[in-house]
Amino acid sequence: MIYRSKRFITIFFIFCLPASGFTQETVQIIVLPFEIHAKDNLSYLQHEIPRLIKNQLKQEGAVVQEPPIADDVYWRRKIEGVEDIRRLGISHGSDYVLWGSLTRVGQKFSLDARLLKSFADSGPDVFFLEGEGIETLISVVKRLARNVGMKLFKRQRIAKIVIAGNRRIEADAIMRRIKTEPGEILVPKKLSDDLKSIYSMGYFDDIRIEAQDSPEGKIIIFRVKEKQTVRRIRFKGNKKFDDEDLLEALTIKTGSILNIFQIQRNIQRIEEMYREKNYHNVKISYDIKELDNNQADIRFTIQEGEKVQIKRISFVGNRAFSDKKLKGIMKTSEKGFFSWLTSSGDLNKEDLKQDIAKLTAFYQNKGYIQAKIGEPQIKYEGNWIFITIKIDEGPRFRVRKVDITGDLMRDKAELISNLKIIKEDYFNREILRRDVLTLTDIYSDEGFAYAEITPQVNRDFENLAVDIIFVAKKGKPVYFEKIIITGNTKTRDKVIRRQLKVYEQELFSGKRLKQGIRNLYRLDYFEEIKVDTLKGSAEDKMILKIDVKEKPTGAFSVGGGYSSVEDLFFVASISQRNLFGRGQILNVRGEISGRTTRFIIRFTEPWLFDIPLSAGVDVYNWSRDWDLYVKDSIGGAVRLGYPLFNYTRGFLTYNFDRADIRDITDDAPVSIKELVGINITSSITGRMRYDSRDKIFLPTQGSDHSAAIEYAGLGGDVGFVKLTGNTGWYIPLFLGTTGFVHGAGGWVQESTGKVLPDYEKFFLGGINTVRGYDWRDIALKDPDGAKIGGEKFVQFNLEYIFPIYKKAGLMGLVFSDAGNVYASDEDVDLGDLFYGVGGGIRWYSPMGPIRLEWGYPVNPDDDMRQKGRFEFSMGGAF
């Protein structure tokens, strides 16, 4: 006999010659009640034993007949001998009749059975089996039934099972799927199940089962034909996705088994990719090219169709707000003229889901407490999408009364004065949420870390008003039991702890904790900071756990540009902001151009004597060709700084500079000619700085202000008084954008009996002052036309910073700059400024901060550059 399986699990049974198979004929049989010989009452077995035998024979394919006498326990009284039993079988057309008896003596029993062929003259075949313990009777009866089945169907036992035709798939792997075992009776149904099990492995195109005779019984051969393997996968017609994108999405890989069902599933995966990009009319087919060595190539042919976009967004039920107003809240939008640039009209179901939440929040923030926004109905028609959103606005509720009850830790009026909801005419859920946070912060600042503020909103449907009652439960005051710092492999614990504003065994303060965490971010040592507050050893104790992820704090930065004064210039620096993990700062910087060479080393200890007293030392060597003269300087500075109040530090710096003025040209200003030779500058500077920026590079909020006064004349040849100041504001705007407003100004005057050199005066122009103009190009001119510094200056900068790829730290900006310098006898004229405009990108790259900006001079003088210019600064981290 041969079983064969084709693709798609189509199975055929072919019955062949006895040498190669076996034939199963329909056999009809009558099973009579068994006689029971036992001391115990086991009469129930007269029908139970025949029932078990009948069930087994039915499973093996026999047809069991049920004449009335087959249910008669007294059938022997009506039938006297074998011939009467034979006539019984003939009269009912049955091929065989089976009867027998059970004899039990003690715990042992025996089964005697006889099988008589109705249409023959031979006597009955006798079967005899023994057992011990009535609990083993069922298994003995089944053995009897199998033996009878072998006689009925002329079956043989299986001598051996062989796997043939496999090349890649191991025979052992196939054998594990076969339940038939050598020594068993050959049962066609069981072999059929084995064939299906092997086919379900998914590795075969064709499976045959062959049966061969042997002296020991039948040899069963499972002859398999393995499926082809995939040599190459190709695509045709894809424009939206590259081949690499499609290959990455497939579960079929080169070298995998060719499986039709898997190909169909992968077509669905590709279709889903296109639908996510709104190509809902995509059609994908495939063809298989068969190759030698049982290999094949698959080619997917893709008809992308037109992109399906949103034609119209409709609202049903909105009365208070227009469709235009509601569409403005949503990120999902209808296709516009610039859809190719803005992606308007694209359907993103996750964005649409968020839009429904936004609309719900919008209504609830406008007093419509009961507003309900239905699930959007999306309809596809050709290349267009139509979205309908149903709205049930409900009534609008005014805010009538606001109160606070419960554990009041301050005067009620004072607490209510901190709430914003009292200023709202209509109920606003977002304002209410913020007020809850405000009250929670007030309580937490007093040590009640687990205070609960629960707003109760009582609605008056008749008057369409709400009364809001904040219920406060302060709980017990909580103390910091322990502060645990983890994740810092380089930065020392004390460097982190000294930035925190909270301490162990101290009363909890949410405000100071937030300030401390902000200080840690401002250090810029950490890529990520996680703060957990855990229950301590008692209800009034808390464990503060701070887990940090460090990032590189060393940087190698390079920058450069071009100017008519410096030609090409190059700047490089190596810095470490967290030297040896102690928080110390070391910076080595070099500048080289056609006219300048400068090297400087700066070292800062931010916590001298473990108090917030910063101390630093600078040493430099600077040579500069100023066209009219050359200045070679060697000098340094000693710096001290101390925090005065929040975000504010005071600084005191002593500067010493030894300058050699040489190679003075004949047309140089008199002030320079007077300085030929060695000039000593000894000065002291006092400065105060307020800095609340959230980040050093690319801040999004906060401000940075400073004011300084420098006095030179503590010995030496140079003497002056210089005042400078600047202010900068970072203002968070909308959609992750930031506005930056900056202003700066300065004044310098010669002190009695000393000189004020040109290099201590003010110049503007370049990437850090007025962009679009060359470095130091905005200056005064002496009577001979040479550029000299001014005794006064003003500078203004306005920037709009927007995210390009925020996750990667890539930001874009547009700017407008203005500024000018003035002589000591001139008034500052804000109507006489040089303007520059432009744009650029800033990127906090893995190598460090990068700036690339282009500025255009709006109103340059005739001797200034008339065209725009690029300037850049790049960095690398280590």
Side-chain angles (χ1 to χ4, degrees):
M1 184 187 74
I2 300 175
Y3 294 85
R4 183 186 178 100
S5 170
K6 285 294 188 182
R7 286 182 180 174
F8 308 113
I9 320 183
T10 303
I11 302 174
F12 301 89
F13 298 95
I14 303 176
F15 304 98
C16 305
L17 298 173
S20 62
F22 55 89
T23 303
Q24 177 170 312
E25 300 176 352
T26 302
V27 177
Q28 297 181 342
I29 186 171
I30 297 172
V31 181
L32 298 174
F34 272 46
E35 292 185 88
I36 306 300
H37 306 290
K39 291 182 179 181
D40 301 331
N41 182 14
L42 300 176
S43 58
Y44 70 92
L45 295 176
Q46 290 177 324
H47 289 297
E48 185 64 19
I49 292 173
R51 187 184 67 79
L52 294 172
I53 294 173
K54 291 175 187 178
N55 290 340
Q56 184 69 30
L57 293 178
K58 286 179 181 178
Q59 292 180 9
E60 297 186 17
V63 177
V64 178
Q65 293 182 316
E66 303 287 352
I69 196 171
D71 292 328
D72 189 351
V73 296
Y74 302 109
W75 63 271
R76 280 190 175 278
R77 297 179 184 178
K78 301 176 182 179
I79 298 177
E80 296 182 355
V82 172
E83 291 306 319
D84 283 348
I85 294 175
R86 193 188 307 277
R87 282 192 292 273
L88 173 66
I90 292 172
S91 64
H92 289 84
S94 183
D95 299 312
Y96 293 91
V97 180
L98 178 70
W99 74 96
S101 63
L102 168 70
T103 301
R104 183 183 182 193
V105 178
Q107 290 298 315
K108 294 185 178 182
F109 66 86
S110 63
L111 275 175
D112 296 278
R114 287 170 174 77
L115 181 67
L116 179 65
K117 190 171 185 179
S118 302
F119 300 94
D121 297 331
S122 59
D125 293 308
V126 179
F127 302 89
F128 177 79
L129 292 173
E130 292 183 325
E132 185 171 356
I134 198 68
E135 67 274 2
T136 65
L137 177 61
I138 293 178
S139 61
V140 174
V141 172
K142 288 185 177 181
R143 281 166 50 202
L144 172 63
R146 285 195 293 269
N147 292 340
V148 171
M150 290 184 65
K151 189 67 177 178
L152 292 176
F153 301 114
K154 302 180 179 62
R155 290 177 178 165
Q156 299 185 38
R157 293 189 180 274
I158 297 174
K160 188 178 182 181
I161 297 177
V162 178
I163 307 297
N166 55 310
R167 299 171 62 183
R168 297 186 309 274
I169 310 303
E170 295 182 359
D172 288 345
I174 301 173
M175 288 294 293
R176 284 194 291 269
R177 305 301 292 264
I178 298 173
K179 302 301 182 184
T180 304
E181 297 181 357
E184 291 184 351
I185 299 170
L186 196 153
V187 180
K189 184 179 183 306
K190 196 170 183 180
L191 288 176
S192 177
D193 292 340
D194 290 337
L195 181 144
K196 293 177 183 178
S197 179
I198 296 173
Y199 192 88
S200 68
M201 296 173 71
Y203 299 144
F204 307 108
D205 260 340
D206 190 53
I207 305 172
R208 289 175 176 267
I209 301 179
E210 301 173 356
Q212 297 180 355
D213 290 326
S214 74
E216 293 80 16
K218 289 290 185 181
I219 299 175
I220 303 301
I221 303 171
F222 288 86
R223 193 173 302 278
V224 300
K225 180 182 178 183
E226 294 176 341
K227 287 184 177 181
Q228 297 166 312
T229 56
V230 178
R231 187 192 71 166
R232 185 178 300 169
I233 302 173
R234 296 178 176 178
F235 301 94
K236 179 182 177 183
N238 54 305
K239 298 178 182 177
K240 182 61 181 177
F241 295 100
D242 295 334
D243 288 3
E244 293 76 13
D245 297 330
L246 296 174
L247 284 171
E248 187 176 348
L250 297 182
T251 58
I252 303 173
K253 304 298 179 183
T254 301
S256 62
I257 300 298
L258 182 63
N259 186 309
I260 301 300
F261 301 110
Q262 195 175 21
I263 291 176
Q264 295 290 345
R265 286 193 293 269
N266 277 271
I267 286 177
Q268 295 174 2
R269 292 173 70 94
I270 298 174
E271 289 175 342
E272 186 61 31
M273 289 177 63
Y274 273 92
R275 290 191 187 102
E276 288 178 357
K277 297 295 183 181
N278 293 307
Y279 287 84
H280 291 267
N281 297 323
V282 63
K283 295 180 180 178
I284 303 173
S285 59
Y286 74 94
D287 57 78
I288 299 173
K289 181 180 180 182
E290 297 186 354
L291 305 170
D292 296 336
N293 300 320
N294 205 29
Q295 292 183 314
D297 288 347
I298 304 174
R299 184 177 67 174
F300 293 95
T301 301
I302 302 172
Q303 296 178 358
E304 294 180 336
E306 294 294 326
K307 188 175 185 179
V308 180
Q309 293 183 295
I310 300 171
K311 178 71 172 179
R312 185 169 63 249
I313 299 174
S314 303
F315 299 93
V316 178
N318 57 308
R319 300 182 304 275
F321 303 101
S322 66
D323 287 10
K324 182 179 180 181
K325 178 67 175 179
L326 297 179
K327 290 176 185 178
I329 297 168
M330 302 172 62
K331 183 176 181 181
T332 306
S333 62
E334 298 165 344
K335 181 182 178 182
F337 183 77
F338 295 101
S339 61
W340 55 274
L341 179 64
T342 63
S343 297
S344 63
D346 288 354
L347 174 60
N348 183 310
K349 291 187 177 180
E350 186 60 33
D351 287 344
L352 185 57
K353 181 179 178 181
Q354 295 296 325
D355 287 337
I356 298 303
K358 289 179 183 178
L359 290 172
T360 302
F362 172 75
Y363 267 95
Q364 293 184 348
N365 291 338
K366 296 297 182 180
Y368 295 89
I369 303 176
Q370 296 179 296
K372 296 177 182 178
I373 312 297
E375 286 293 324
Q377 298 175 0
I378 304 173
K379 185 178 180 181
Y380 297 91
E381 292 184 6
N383 293 329
W384 294 108
I385 302 172
F386 297 86
I387 300 175
T388 303
I389 301 173
K390 294 183 178 180
I391 299 175
D392 180 6
E393 293 180 336
R396 193 178 192 187
F397 288 81
R398 292 180 175 273
V399 177
R400 183 170 58 190
K401 177 184 176 182
V402 178
D403 195 9
I404 300 178
T405 63
D407 300 329
L408 302 183
M409 50 171 293
R410 293 184 186 176
D411 180 72
K412 180 185 290 190
E414 180 185 352
L415 291 174
I416 292 178
S417 67
N418 288 283
L419 303 179
K420 304 297 184 183
I421 195 68
I422 60 176
K423 300 178 182 179
E424 297 292 318
D425 292 331
Y426 293 94
F427 178 83
N428 188 312
R429 191 172 298 277
E430 176 61 23
I431 298 296
L432 181 65
R433 185 189 69 83
R434 294 178 188 173
D435 284 343
V436 170
L437 294 177
T438 298
L439 291 176
T440 303
D441 287 344
I442 291 173
Y443 275 73
S444 70
D445 286 341
E446 299 294 334
F448 298 97
Y450 302 125
E452 296 180 5
I453 309 295
T454 305
Q456 294 180 355
V457 180
N458 301 321
R459 306 173 189 181
D460 182 347
F461 290 94
E462 183 177 349
N463 297 304
L464 296 181
V466 296
D467 295 331
I468 302 172
I469 302 174
F470 294 89
V471 180
K473 294 182 180 180
K474 65 182 181 181
K476 294 182 179 180
V478 178
Y479 295 82
F480 285 112
E481 179 179 8
K482 187 184 298 184
I483 299 176
I484 300 173
I485 299 173
T486 61
N488 52 318
T489 57
K490 176 183 177 182
T491 307
R492 303 193 179 194
D493 271 17
K494 76 172 186 177
V495 174
I496 298 174
R497 289 178 183 272
R498 68 195 185 192
Q499 296 297 326
L500 300 175
K501 297 297 182 180
V502 294
Y503 307 93
E504 293 175 346
Q505 308 306 319
E506 185 186 66
L507 199 63
F508 178 90
S509 171
K511 182 178 181 180
R512 287 188 285 115
L513 177 58
K514 291 177 182 178
Q515 289 177 349
I517 299 304
R518 186 168 183 173
N519 288 343
L520 289 181
Y521 274 109
R522 283 166 48 83
L523 285 176
D524 204 27
Y525 296 168
F526 310 110
E527 186 176 313
E528 186 177 16
I529 301 173
K530 293 181 180 179
V531 181
D532 288 326
T533 51
L534 310 175
K535 291 284 187 180
S537 59
E539 291 185 4
D540 62 343
K541 293 183 179 180
M542 173 187 290
I543 297 175
L544 175 63
K545 183 180 179 183
I546 298 177
D547 184 27
V548 299
K549 183 179 180 182
E550 294 179 313
K551 67 179 180 181
T553 53
F556 167 69
S557 63
V558 295
Y562 176 83
S563 75
S564 59
V565 175
E566 294 285 349
D567 296 326
L568 289 173
F569 65 87
F570 177 81
V571 180
S573 71
I574 298 176
S575 64
Q576 175 55 258
R577 294 178 290 105
N578 188 15
L579 189 64
F580 307 123
R582 297 174 178 270
Q584 298 166 339
I585 304 170
L586 177 65
N587 180 272
V588 179
R589 178 183 175 92
E591 302 176 19
I592 299 176
S593 72
R595 298 178 180 272
T596 300
T597 301
R598 180 164 68 169
F599 300 98
I600 184 170
I601 300 175
R602 298 170 60 92
F603 174 80
T604 303
E605 166 55 70
W607 282 67
L608 189 64
F609 310 125
D610 282 331
I611 61 175
L613 173 65
S614 64
V617 177
D618 305 340
V619 179
Y620 62 84
N621 187 329
W622 185 10
S623 178
R624 176 72 165 94
D625 184 351
W626 294 92
D627 284 336
L628 303 177
Y629 63 96
V630 174
K631 175 177 177 284
D632 295 333
S633 295
I634 297 176
V638 177
R639 296 172 280 109
L640 295 174
Y642 194 81
L644 302 178
F645 35 87
N646 284 345
Y647 307 120
T648 305
R649 294 182 71 90
F651 298 90
L652 186 65
T653 305
Y654 172 74
N655 299 275
F656 179 85
D657 179 83
R658 179 184 183 276
D660 182 7
I661 307 300
R662 57 183 178 83
D663 299 337
I664 300 176
T665 62
D666 293 336
D667 56 350
V670 175
S671 60
I672 294 297
K673 293 180 178 179
E674 293 176 348
L675 295 174
V676 62
I678 304 300
N679 294 270
I680 304 297
T681 302
S682 176
S683 69
I684 189 168
T685 303
R687 184 166 67 99
M688 186 168 62
R689 181 180 183 184
Y690 174 92
D691 186 359
S692 64
R693 295 175 296 172
D694 57 345
K695 291 179 290 186
I696 302 301
F697 187 74
L698 295 178
T700 58
Q701 60 182 345
S703 57
D704 183 11
H705 321 292
S706 67
I709 179 170
E710 181 180 5
Y711 174 74
L714 303 175
D717 310 298
V718 176
F720 58 84
V721 176
K722 182 184 293 185
L723 302 176
T724 56
N726 82 87
T727 180
W729 302 81
Y730 294 88
I731 306 167
L733 301 175
F734 49 88
L735 300 177
T737 62
T738 304
F740 173 57
V741 180
H742 176 258
W747 171 86
V748 63
Q749 178 179 320
E750 177 183 315
S751 64
T752 304
K754 305 286 184 179
V755 295
L756 173 61
D758 190 64
Y759 52 78
E760 291 291 354
K761 297 180 181 180
F762 301 116
F763 297 81
L764 294 179
I767 193 170
N768 293 316
T769 56
V770 182
R771 287 159 285 193
Y773 296 85
D774 287 345
W775 183 60
R776 296 170 68 96
D777 206 22
I778 299 175
L780 300 178
K781 296 179 182 178
D782 69 2
D784 297 323
K787 288 188 176 182
I788 58 175
E791 286 83 11
K792 303 172 187 176
F793 87 95
V794 290
Q795 171 191 331
F796 303 99
N797 308 95
L798 182 64
E799 295 181 353
Y800 175 69
I801 305 168
F802 54 89
I804 297 176
Y805 187 24
K806 193 171 184 178
K807 185 179 293 185
L810 181 63
M811 308 293 284
L813 75 150
V814 293
F815 62 81
S816 175
D817 298 337
N820 204 351
V821 298
Y822 305 90
S824 59
D825 57 352
E826 289 183 300
D827 294 330
V828 174
D829 183 3
L830 298 182
D832 181 25
L833 300 178
F834 290 94
Y835 292 92
V837 295
I841 59 173
R842 293 175 185 172
W843 180 29
Y844 207 150
S845 74
M847 299 179 297
I850 293 177
R851 291 177 63 184
L852 177 61
E853 297 170 14
W854 177 86
Y856 177 79
V858 175
N859 56 334
D861 285 344
D862 293 339
D863 60 343
M864 294 180 177
R865 176 188 293 270
Q866 302 296 314
K867 298 180 180 179
R869 64 193 298 268
F870 275 103
E871 290 186 287
F872 69 93
S873 174
M874 298 183 297
F878 60 90

